[in-house]
């Protein structure tokens, strides 16, 4: 799960997807394309909206997306088209590029919808982000579950 700062959107996406998947089977992590918040706890407004939904994201710490993430992850979900461009710019080959997906494509396929950056805004923005991420992560979790069914 990748956003810009790794303190607002992607920590929520990480927490939500973790809550919907089996940690023995699916490894979920998050990162930011920027390095402004490396080592920081998620934004208090993300912590609060997560807590409202019984999720604890307080132990997460910001880290910056790295080229190694292309090797360590099968799927890289980005929150907006800026994140998409930044991550694609680091891709070494087509295989890397294929891993990168706009998370909203899971609920609004092909519409290029951003999960809006809520950092400069009001608490209402975090509510909207939570709702979008919850809906997208539900679809992702169901797809991952389907993949894990024995053939
Ligand atoms: P995020 O929000 O990308 O959802 O974590 C932001 C957090 C911090 C900054 C930008 C976006 N910043 O510029 O510090």
């Amino acid at each position: 799960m990748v956003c810009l700062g790794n303190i607002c959107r992607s920590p929520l996406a990480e927490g939500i997807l973790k809550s919907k998947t089996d940690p023995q089977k699916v490894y979920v992590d998050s990162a930011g394309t920027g390095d402004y918040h490396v080592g920081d706890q998620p934004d208090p407004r993300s912590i609060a909206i997560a807590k409202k939904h019984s999720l604890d994201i307080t132990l997460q710490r910001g880290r910056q997306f790295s080229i190694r993430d292309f090797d360590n992850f099968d799927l890289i979900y980005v929150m907006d088209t800026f994140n998409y461009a930044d991550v694609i710019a680091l891709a070494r080959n087509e295989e890397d590029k294929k891993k990168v997906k706009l998370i909203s494509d899971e609920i609004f396929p092909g519409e290029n919808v951003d999960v809006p950056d809520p950092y400069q805004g009001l608490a209402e923005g975090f509510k909207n982000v939570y709702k979008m991420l919850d809906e997208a992560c539900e679809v992702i979790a169901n797809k991952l579950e389907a993949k894990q069914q024995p053939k």
Side-chain angles (χ1 to χ4, degrees):
M1 296 299 185
V2 177
C3 62
L4 173 58
N6 193 210
I7 54 165
C8 296
R9 292 166 292 177
S10 58
L12 274 176
E14 177 186 333
I16 293 168
L17 188 59
K18 275 183 173 161
S19 76
K20 294 178 188 287
T21 50
D22 178 348
Q24 308 266 16
K25 294 178 181 159
V26 183
Y27 181 71
V28 187
D29 195 12
S30 65
T33 55
D35 64 357
Y36 327 104
H37 295 284
V38 171
D40 290 357
Q41 205 176 35
D43 186 284
R45 296 164 295 177
S46 283
I47 290 176
I49 191 91
K51 193 171 172 200
K52 218 173 144 191
H53 292 88
S54 307
L55 294 182
D56 180 2
I57 61 167
T58 59
L59 295 180
Q60 293 186 35
R61 293 296 179 267
R63 75 171 179 93
Q64 188 172 23
F65 182 82
S66 130
I67 287 179
R68 286 188 305 278
D69 289 317
F70 287 114
D71 299 322
N72 293 338
F73 293 89
D74 300 312
L75 292 165
I76 298 167
Y77 285 103
V78 296
M79 301 295 130
D80 65 32
T81 50
F82 290 110
N83 310 149
Y84 186 85
D86 288 342
V87 172
I88 287 288
L90 295 173
R92 300 158 298 185
N93 50 46
E94 281 307 307
E95 201 185 328
D96 287 356
K97 285 184 188 169
K98 267 195 230 154
K99 294 184 174 185
V100 188
K101 296 169 192 305
L102 193 60
I103 194 167
S104 66
D105 263 6
E106 299 292 349
I107 41 176
F108 307 118
E111 292 185 34
N112 269 338
V113 175
D114 288 342
V115 177
D117 181 347
Y119 185 59
Q120 306 284 358
L122 305 171
E124 201 57 33
F126 285 75
K127 254 193 193 172
N128 178 45
V129 164
Y130 190 94
K131 184 170 180 286
M132 284 182 82
L133 292 178
D134 190 53
E135 288 173 8
C137 287
E138 186 67 26
V139 176
I140 295 167
N142 287 335
K143 283 186 181 173
L144 291 172
E145 184 70 28
K147 265 193 195 161
Q148 287 159 8
Q149 296 301 325
K151 295 225 167 79

